[in-house]
């Protein structure tokens, strides 16, 4: 496994966040089945990385990944951003649903923060992700991260991916070709997944009007979504 260490600016960002929240945030790297997966573990207050290899991960991607997870810690422990969990912790579908919704919404704030710190760049996989989503919407491709066994989870996973693409549109300057590909993808979902697309549009308006870059605005967004769509999720 390739050995990667933080560059000085990300290490400085880590030091600053640890000082602000008053907690050290260790980074645990271990072998995993996926090429690269990282998460902030709020229970253990650590960053966990699982990877089957690091050879394909560039230094900038590694740095951005760590900065991203550090920012989740800042929002949770310094700025009191609320979190959510399923009403039934024994229901694996509802657990995944809560994780999908929380990630898609909080990541909008996180990406904006690291971009403001000059630590964020458009992911190298963005173009491929948009193309894959387009093919999925045209029913020409099966995506492993969009489950088909549960209708509710499938619906909200699709919505979360549309939110993700839209958030990158807001935070990064896309090329004319990228904007064209994104619009093509939206049209495919509007045509073939009309209900999901309409919910996405409504959530987008919620996000714009709620000022989610503050903890109060983010809380109002979550309350509105959970009430509006009666999801089996509760605020913490």
């Amino acid at each position: 496994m390739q050995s990667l260490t933080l560059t000085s600016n990300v290490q400085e960002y880590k030091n600053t966040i640890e000082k602000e929240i008053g907690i050290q945030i260790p980074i645990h790297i271990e072998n995993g089945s996926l090429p690269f997966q990282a998460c902030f573990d709020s229970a253990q207050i650590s960053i966990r990385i699982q990877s089957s290899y690091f050879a394909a991960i560039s230094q900038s991607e590694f740095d951005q990944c760590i900065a991203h997870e550090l920012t989740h810690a800042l929002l949770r422990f310094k700025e009191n951003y609320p979190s959510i969990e399923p009403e039934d912790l024994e229901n694996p579908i509802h657990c995944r649903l809560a994780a999908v919704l929380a990630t898609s919404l909080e990541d909008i704030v996180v990406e904006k923060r690291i971009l403001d710190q000059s630590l964020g760049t458009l992911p190298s996989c963005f173009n491929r992700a948009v193309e894959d989503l387009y093919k999925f919407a045209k029913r020409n491709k099966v995506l492993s991260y969009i489950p088909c066994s549960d209708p509710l989870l499938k619906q909200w996973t699709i919505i979360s991916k549309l939110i993700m693409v839209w958030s990158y549109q807001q935070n990064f300057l896309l090329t004319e070709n990228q904007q064209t590909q994104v619009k093509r993808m939206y049209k495919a979902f509007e045509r073939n997944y009309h209900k999901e697309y309409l919910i996405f549009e409504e959530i987008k308006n919620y996000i714009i009007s709620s000022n989610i870059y503050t903890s109060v605005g983010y809380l109002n967004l979550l309350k509105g979504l959970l009430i509006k769509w009666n999801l089996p999720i509760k605020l913490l």
Side-chain angles (χ1 to χ4, degrees):
M1 185 158 46
Q2 179 184 348
S3 177
L4 290 171
T5 58
L6 299 179
T7 52
S8 59
N9 56 344
V10 178
Q11 182 62 57
E12 183 179 348
Y13 184 61
K14 182 175 185 291
N15 295 342
T16 298
I17 289 179
E18 289 175 334
K19 183 177 180 180
E20 289 194 24
I21 68 176
I23 305 171
Q24 296 292 308
I25 306 174
I27 300 172
H28 300 299
I29 300 177
E30 56 193 60
N31 288 322
S33 58
L34 297 175
F36 189 85
Q37 185 178 56
C39 70
F40 172 68
D41 186 335
S42 58
Q44 299 296 322
I45 314 180
S46 64
I47 295 172
R48 296 175 56 232
I49 296 176
Q50 292 187 335
S51 180
S52 59
Y53 64 89
F54 275 87
I57 304 300
S58 69
Q59 182 66 56
S60 62
E61 288 173 322
F62 181 72
D63 281 344
Q64 183 167 342
C65 171
I66 298 301
H68 180 104
E69 302 307 331
L70 287 168
T71 308
H72 280 296
L74 179 67
L75 296 182
R76 183 66 48 81
F77 293 104
K78 173 68 175 178
E79 301 186 13
N80 298 316
Y81 268 68
S83 58
I84 57 176
E85 71 175 17
E87 293 176 346
D88 180 6
L89 290 171
E90 300 300 318
N91 188 314
I93 296 297
H94 292 176
C95 287
R96 286 187 64 185
L97 177 63
V100 163
L101 186 60
T103 298
S104 64
L105 296 175
E106 192 168 307
D107 276 2
I108 301 173
V109 182
V110 168
E111 289 296 330
K112 178 66 164 58
R113 291 293 185 86
I114 63 176
L115 186 62
D116 289 344
Q117 295 292 324
S118 300
L119 297 174
T121 58
L122 186 68
S124 60
C125 63
F126 178 80
N127 293 346
R128 177 63 178 273
V130 171
E131 178 66 19
D132 284 348
L133 286 169
Y134 169 73
K135 290 179 179 178
F136 173 85
K138 296 285 286 184
R139 308 189 192 279
N140 293 329
K141 188 178 182 70
V142 174
L143 298 176
S144 61
Y145 54 78
I146 298 183
C148 296
S149 57
D150 183 84
L152 184 64
L153 182 58
K154 178 182 179 181
Q155 179 183 60
W156 283 91
T157 302
I158 289 171
I159 293 165
S160 76
K161 296 305 176 184
L162 293 173
I163 293 171
M164 175 198 73
V165 173
W166 175 77
S167 71
Y168 284 128
Q169 278 187 293
Q170 305 309 298
N171 288 329
F172 297 95
L173 183 62
L174 302 185
T175 66
E176 183 176 347
N177 181 62
Q178 286 172 326
Q179 292 284 12
T180 299
Q181 297 307 309
V182 168
K183 290 177 182 177
R184 184 183 69 156
M185 182 207 71
Y186 285 151
K187 288 181 180 178
F189 276 101
E190 185 178 16
R191 184 180 307 112
N192 297 322
Y193 290 91
H194 191 64
K195 184 177 180 180
E196 288 79 0
Y197 184 81
L198 290 180
I199 295 175
F200 155 65
E201 284 286 340
E202 198 164 348
I203 292 176
K204 186 174 71 173
N205 291 331
Y206 265 100
I207 293 170
I208 293 170
S209 62
S210 297
N211 186 19
I212 65 171
Y213 300 107
T214 67
S215 59
V216 172
Y218 189 76
L219 175 62
N220 290 336
L221 170 68
L222 291 179
K223 285 181 177 178
L225 297 188
L226 298 184
I227 293 172
K228 170 76 175 181
W229 286 284
N230 193 29
L231 296 172
I233 296 169
K234 63 182 180 181
L235 284 163
L236 292 179

